Amino acid sequence: DPTSVRPTWALNGRIYFSFAVPSQTPHWGLTSVKVDGSDWLHHTPAGESDTDPAVSWDGGRMALRRMRGDMNYGVILTDLSGNPLFMTNQPGIGQMPAWSRNDQFIAYVGAPSVNGPANEIYVTRINAFWKKHVTTGAAVGGGRNPVFVRRLEN
C-alpha cells in the first residue's frame, strides 16, 4: 500500500509530498500532483530517497531530506524538479526543514553528533556553511517540527 505524507504547496499550483511504496527500495520519493489530483510527477533521482519536503515562500526552491542507501545527506536544497542546488548540513542528520518567511534561513531537526538522535533544532543560512544549534536538551523527547512565525510589531 502506498503512503503519502508531509504535503507542501508550491506557487506553480502543485502539491509536493513524500510518497512511499513499501515494496520498492528505496521506497520514499518526492512526488507532486496538481490540485485536482491529476498529473502525478515523481522527482527523486534513481537510487535516492527523499522525505520531508518544504517549498520556499518564493516558490522557487525546496528543502528536503535526501538519502542514498545508508548515506544520509541531511537537509538539501533542490529546485522543484528535485535537482540538488546546495547541501545545507552535509554530512549529517537533518530532517523536517522549515523556511523563514524571507527565505534566508531554514530551521530543521538535527543531531549534535552523526550517531546521535535527531531531536535538536538548528538554523542554517541559505547558501552558507553556517548553522546555529538553537536548542540544547529541549524538553523530554527533544525538539521536533520547527516553524518560523511572523512577528508582529506593536
Side-chain angles (χ1 to χ4, degrees):
D1 289 338
T3 302
S4 303
V5 295
R6 297 214 178 257
T8 182
W9 289 93
L11 294 177
N12 65 4
R14 300 187 71 81
I15 301 169
Y16 290 79
F17 54 95
S18 296
F19 183 75
V21 180
S23 62
Q24 296 178 9
T25 303
H27 64 269
W28 284 103
L30 176 65
T31 302
S32 70
V33 296
K34 289 184 178 177
V35 129
D36 64 4
S38 67
D39 192 28
W40 281 59
L41 298 175
H42 300 283
H43 306 284
T44 299
E48 296 184 347
S49 179
D50 290 337
T51 58
D52 302 338
V55 175
S56 61
W57 289 93
D58 70 10
R61 297 169 293 176
M62 186 173 324
L64 53 81
R65 178 184 185 195
R66 179 162 285 170
M67 295 183 70
R68 178 180 277 274
D70 290 337
M71 173 57 115
N72 185 353
Y73 293 109
V75 175
I76 70 166
L77 299 185
T78 70
D79 63 18
L80 294 183
S81 295
N83 299 312
L85 300 174
F86 192 78
M87 305 282 189
T88 60
N89 61 326
Q90 188 226 0
I93 298 169
Q95 59 196 38
M96 299 180 206
W99 289 86
S100 64
R101 301 285 287 212
N102 65 4
D103 289 336
Q104 297 300 306
F105 298 90
I106 292 177
Y108 63 93
V109 177
S113 67
V114 173
N115 295 321
N119 63 1
E120 298 289 343
I121 305 298
Y122 292 82
V123 174
T124 187
R125 186 185 248 327
I126 302 303
N127 295 328
F129 284 104
W130 171 89
K131 71 178 176 182
K132 172 81 173 152
H133 188 180
V134 296
T135 64
T136 301
V140 175
R144 307 289 283 178
N145 298 316
V147 175
F148 279 93
V149 239
R150 184 175 173 207
R151 183 176 174 179
L152 299 175
E153 300 296 326
N154 292 332

